[in-house]
Amino acid sequence: MKLASQIDKPVLIVGGGPVGMTMALCLAKRGIPSCLVELRSAETLPDVKCNHISSRSMELFRSLGISQDLRAAGLPDNYPHDVSYRTSTLGEEIARIHIPGRNTRLTDHSGPDGNWPTPEPPHRINQRYIEPILRRHVQKQSLITCLYRHQVLSFMQDENQVTAQIQNLDSPESQAFTLSAAYMVGCDGGRSMVRKGMGAKLVGDEVVQRVQSTCIRAPHLIEHMKAPPAWAMFTVNPRRSGNIYAIDGKEVWLIHNYLRDHEADFESVDRDWAIRTILGVDDQFEYEVMSKEDWFGRRLVSDKLQEGRVFVAGDAAHLWVPYAGYGMNAGLADASNLAWHLAAQIESWASPFALSAYEKERHPITEQVSRFAMNHAHAMSKRRKEIPENLEEQSAEGAKARVAFGQDLYDLNVQQYCCAGLNFGYFYDQSPVMVYDAESAPDYNMGSFTASTVPGCRAPHFWLEQDTSLYDALGAAYTLLCFKPECDAEVSALQKAAGEANMPLKILDVSAYTDRPPEYSHHFAIVRADAHTVWRGDQLYAENAKQIVAKLCGYSTPSI
């Protein structure tokens, strides 16, 4: 393959799902053009996969001006976003995790995630609604070129660029054309050709779980329910365990039938019998199968996220059991992170070494989250084997069993459906472009975290004005938060060092906001656009300002 003589686009993105589109939008926000190559047509709806946008992802979409559009879509305004556990969909409810619906999401502070420290609570919405909204925003962007019904056949790279061969799938007889880019990002899913082409491989656990999954249309289901409907309704009884997700809150439902260890393939169990058992309906109940969505739960992580100028993100980089809804959401975090690092290169103020930060920051988080998800999958599998035989029995002992098992399910699952730790607790402790100090980041788990300003942690949220978050005021690259009044000389020292390095820096005086979180105990903090603290301290002067800037640009490796 002959290399092109010039770069056509700064970034070539392979895959136009939520991760690829978010990557393109993040780059466009920085004024960076990209080309998005997608196998499907623009009108093709995705599978009914992801059902949840996390709080951190909603914060990202807020920064892109998309969060309100997303929050206005999905389930009806008054449809509960709760998680319910029942003897069947139409049976007796034994536990319910309260999650505010759309019409009360920003005002209802009850429930386990009702008062999270964020300007954007999570939102329950299916990928069928997510992708068209993202696509509309992508297509409005003049900086994003979309090649739908196109396929990247192969690629090669040298020290200056990546060159790809691309085929128009609607004209298969035509010759493939060449497109070159400074960087290429594979957001092309679990079977990623980009991952394979860069010599990376998925490692981990091939099969953690098998799920027979079916999307159905059943317009009369809600009217037969004993308990109020919910976003997720889990069936637990001795015959069959499964769950059902509300897609449109009216008639479209996604049913997961969790196969048992001896049920080796997706047709091991009669699909119709399983659906009726999970729903709790007889043979007279009518429903329509819209699609089969069977899937394996895995825990697989790519052994590398970068090879030269080529990167992978999203499912191309990691596949795991979708507990806590962190498949797509982890991919969105990848996209945001990588777009930021690529922008620093394209804007020519960061060293080439700084690009290694993407893998050093995201790979450990990917590994951690994959294990959280796998461990929770094992715990749920164990519970399904422990369902009391008398759970449906209409007796004092049956009632007692329902109370006890319901509480057990609530305690186990509230951490994944209200996963504060996965949203706000993760930190980057191996980044080459952060200035660490003597304090270590606090531990976190799926459900809980400790707020911190330790470099690498998420800077704690607080409101500046009504409806204006700290995050809304952050600059495109770095922002110096000044908690100390009258610090012009110190600020000038950092501004001078940043200017000499061409490093973008915004100054934000927050000294007047006395009700800020107590974790802000230093006079200064530098926060990246993704809300991660990269430095904090009480003094700024010419020499340490130069060292800080050098480190943030990737030109210095010693500790400061």
Side-chain angles (χ1 to χ4, degrees):
M1 184 189 302
K2 185 178 179 180
L3 286 178
S5 59
Q6 63 182 22
I7 292 176
D8 298 306
K9 295 288 181 182
V11 183
L12 171 60
I13 302 168
V14 185
V19 175
M21 287 191 285
T22 299
M23 167 77 67
L25 289 165
C26 287
L27 290 169
K29 184 183 178 184
R30 296 287 287 269
I32 296 171
S34 64
C35 181
L36 195 68
V37 180
E38 168 57 37
L39 292 169
R40 298 170 297 164
S41 69
E43 297 76 27
T44 302
L45 287 175
D47 296 333
V48 283
K49 294 178 180 178
C50 178
N51 282 289
H52 167 239
I53 304 179
S54 72
S55 179
R56 285 295 289 271
S57 296
M58 287 299 286
E59 290 176 359
L60 167 60
F61 288 134
R62 179 188 181 101
S63 73
L64 296 172
I66 304 174
S67 61
Q68 289 187 359
D69 289 350
L70 288 166
R71 203 174 290 283
L75 298 171
D77 283 352
N78 60 352
Y79 190 93
H81 288 196
D82 299 347
V83 178
S84 173
Y85 295 85
R86 309 167 179 214
T87 55
S88 69
T89 306
L90 304 187
E92 187 169 346
E93 184 173 79
I94 62 174
R96 178 175 284 252
I97 301 172
H98 173 57
I99 299 171
R102 189 167 70 205
N103 61 346
T104 59
R105 176 73 264 194
L106 301 179
T107 57
D108 182 355
H109 301 302
S110 65
D113 74 348
N115 203 26
W116 275 2
T118 174
E120 290 288 347
H123 182 48
R124 266 65 188 179
I125 179 175
N126 188 264
Q127 192 166 334
R128 285 273 175 101
Y129 299 100
I130 298 170
E131 284 204 17
I133 292 170
L134 293 181
R135 190 174 297 116
R136 287 199 298 272
H137 283 267
V138 163
Q139 292 175 333
K140 287 190 296 185
Q141 272 287 351
S142 61
L143 291 171
I144 303 173
T145 301
C146 297
L147 298 179
Y148 293 106
R149 294 288 297 151
H150 282 70
Q151 181 179 10
V152 175
L153 301 177
S154 62
F155 66 89
M156 62 185 297
Q157 63 172 312
D158 64 12
E159 62 182 12
N160 298 313
Q161 62 185 5
V162 182
T163 305
Q165 290 289 317
I166 301 175
Q167 179 68 55
N168 183 339
L169 297 178
D170 289 330
S171 301
E173 72 288 346
S174 65
Q175 186 176 358
F177 62 89
T178 300
L179 189 147
S180 63
Y183 303 97
M184 184 170 79
V185 183
C187 304
D188 51 338
R191 297 183 178 89
S192 172
M193 67 79 60
V194 175
R195 183 186 66 244
K196 295 170 185 174
M198 64 185 246
K201 60 181 182 296
L202 294 172
V203 295
D205 300 275
E206 282 284 348
V207 179
V208 175
Q209 189 176 56
R210 290 180 297 275
V211 180
Q212 184 192 70
S213 188
T214 314
C215 184
I216 69 167
R217 176 177 285 112
H220 300 294
L221 187 64
I222 290 179
E223 64 194 61
H224 295 296
M225 292 182 188
K226 292 181 181 178
W231 164 68
M233 293 166 281
F234 282 78
T235 287
V236 287
N237 64 54
R239 299 176 304 287
R240 185 57 39 179
S241 293
N243 74 303
I244 173 172
Y245 285 104
I247 304 303
D248 65 355
K250 299 173 183 176
E251 61 177 13
V252 181
W253 315 90
L254 180 63
I255 300 177
H256 293 331
N257 169 29
Y258 298 108
L259 298 178
R260 296 172 180 176
D261 293 343
H262 66 279
E263 296 167 349
D265 62 72
F266 294 126
E267 300 304 325
S268 297
V269 178
D270 181 82
R271 193 176 295 264
D272 177 70
W273 172 84
I275 288 172
R276 293 185 184 280
T277 303
I278 290 168
L279 295 179
V281 300
D282 59 23
D283 292 340
Q284 304 304 308
F285 183 82
E286 295 183 356
Y287 70 87
E288 171 195 351
V289 173
M290 299 176 67
S291 62
K292 295 180 180 180
E293 307 280 347
D294 304 335
W295 52 273
F296 288 103
R298 311 180 189 275
R299 194 202 70 81
L300 297 170
V301 178
S302 181
D303 59 352
K304 59 182 176 180
L305 305 184
Q306 176 187 4
E307 180 60 38
R309 291 177 170 270
V310 180
F311 303 80
V312 288
D315 284 354
H318 41 72
L319 293 167
W320 54 64
V321 188
Y323 282 98
Y326 257 73
M328 182 193 74
N329 289 291
L332 297 176
D334 294 342
S336 171
N337 183 288
L338 180 54
W340 190 94
H341 288 300
L342 290 177
Q345 296 297 310
I346 294 165
E347 293 170 354
S348 301
W349 54 266
S351 76
F353 170 73
L355 258 185
S356 67
Y358 170 61
E359 182 168 312
K360 291 177 180 178
E361 291 176 3
R362 293 302 303 164
H363 203 272
I365 304 306
T366 295
E367 183 69 23
Q368 289 171 20
V369 174
S370 73
R371 292 191 180 278
F372 283 146
M374 183 183 70
N375 292 340
H376 197 85
H378 288 322
M380 281 299 295
S381 177
K382 181 174 182 290
R383 294 304 192 281
R384 288 192 287 271
K385 297 173 183 177
E386 298 171 346
I387 296 173
E389 289 294 328
N390 64 346
L391 192 70
E392 298 170 285
E393 186 179 288
Q394 296 303 309
S395 66
E397 288 302 311
K400 184 177 179 181
R402 288 189 289 276
V403 170
F405 197 60
Q407 187 63 54
D408 184 55
L409 290 173
Y410 181 97
D411 294 341
L412 175 63
N413 287 289
V414 70
Q415 63 181 319
Q416 69 145 323
Y417 287 111
C418 302
C419 47
L422 292 189
N423 274 276
F424 312 123
Y426 70 81
F427 52 85
Y428 301 139
D429 61 354
Q430 300 175 38
S431 177
V433 290
M434 292 184 179
V435 185
Y436 298 108
D437 53 37
E439 187 178 352
S440 298
D443 289 336
Y444 73 101
N445 57 36
M446 186 181 285
S448 63
F449 78 106
T450 301
S452 176
T453 60
V454 168
C457 293
R458 172 183 182 266
H461 160 72
F462 63 95
W463 293 103
L464 300 180
E465 306 292 346
Q466 185 177 6
D467 299 327
T468 301
S469 165
L470 168 67
Y471 305 148
D472 298 332
L474 295 178
Y478 292 115
T479 302
L480 174 67
L481 304 183
C482 303
F483 299 101
K484 174 185 176 182
E486 300 180 5
C487 53
D488 291 351
E490 291 156 300
V491 169
S492 294
L494 188 65
Q495 284 180 308
K496 183 174 185 295
E500 291 172 349
N502 294 316
M503 185 189 85
L505 177 69
K506 179 178 180 178
I507 308 300
L508 188 60
D509 183 355
V510 289
S511 60
Y513 298 97
T514 56
D515 58 347
R516 60 184 178 264
E519 290 78 21
Y520 288 108
S521 57
H522 293 76
H523 292 328
F524 304 102
I526 300 177
V527 178
R528 207 163 64 183
D530 63 359
H532 284 269
T533 302
V534 298
W535 172 82
R536 61 181 181 171
D538 291 320
Q539 291 183 314
L540 281 170
Y541 47 90
E543 187 56 35
N544 81 333
K546 289 180 181 178
Q547 292 177 326
I548 291 167
V549 168
K551 182 72 171 177
L552 297 186
C553 293
Y555 287 106
S556 172
T557 54
S559 58
I560 297 170

